Amino acid sequence: QVQLRESGGGFVQPGGSLTLSCVASTSISDILGMGWYRQAPGKQREAVARIHRDDSVVLVDSVKGRFTISRDISKNTVYLQMNSLKAEDTAVYYCNFDTGYIEYWGQGTQVTVSS
């Protein structure tokens, strides 16, 4: 049973930075993409960032210029570097590994941006 484990969430003031990490418990073959989603209270889960097998990246408009997604295949890990954080970035962040026929999800890590 593959498990994804996020880490790096926490409390930060506006303008601060956090780096989220997500590691799979075992190597996963044929990953088409790795991504980060978030869900704020009372809102639907939204896709934040995704990195595809060909290293192409997609970011939601609200985080462009502030967030960076990267991965280390050898470590089965995907990262989300978050800079210039805003209150509206507050949410539970989930990582996702997609093979095209099955998706794996982490349990989520809380990010709170507040003064």
Side-chain angles (χ1 to χ4, degrees):
Q1 180 76 12
V2 176
Q3 293 183 338
L4 303 186
R5 186 177 71 252
E6 300 104 336
S7 61
F11 183 94
V12 64
Q13 292 185 339
S17 298
L18 286 173
T19 299
L20 304 182
S21 300
C22 174
V23 59
S25 58
T26 186
S27 179
I28 303 173
S29 60
D30 300 325
I31 294 177
L32 297 182
M34 299 175 174
W36 289 94
Y37 292 70
R38 66 186 179 187
Q39 187 166 20
K43 295 187 177 181
Q44 290 188 333
R45 187 175 297 189
E46 68 167 346
V48 176
R50 185 173 180 84
I51 184 166
H52 297 104
R53 185 162 56 186
D54 62 358
D55 286 330
S56 61
V57 170
V58 178
L59 296 168
V60 68
D61 286 347
S62 61
V63 307
K64 287 180 179 178
R66 301 188 298 120
F67 290 13
T68 302
I69 186 171
S70 61
R71 63 178 180 171
D72 186 334
I73 294 294
S74 66
K75 296 181 180 180
N76 305 312
T77 302
V78 64
Y79 305 95
L80 186 67
Q81 173 68 43
M82 306 185 292
N83 299 324
S84 302
L85 283 161
K86 305 175 181 180
E88 50 264 43
D89 295 318
T90 295
V92 178
Y93 285 70
Y94 300 88
C95 64
N96 168 276
F97 286 17
D98 180 14
T99 67
Y101 54 89
I102 188 170
E103 290 187 80
Y104 300 97
W105 290 89
Q107 81 289 348
T109 185
Q110 176 70 46
V111 171
T112 302
V113 185
S114 176
S115 56

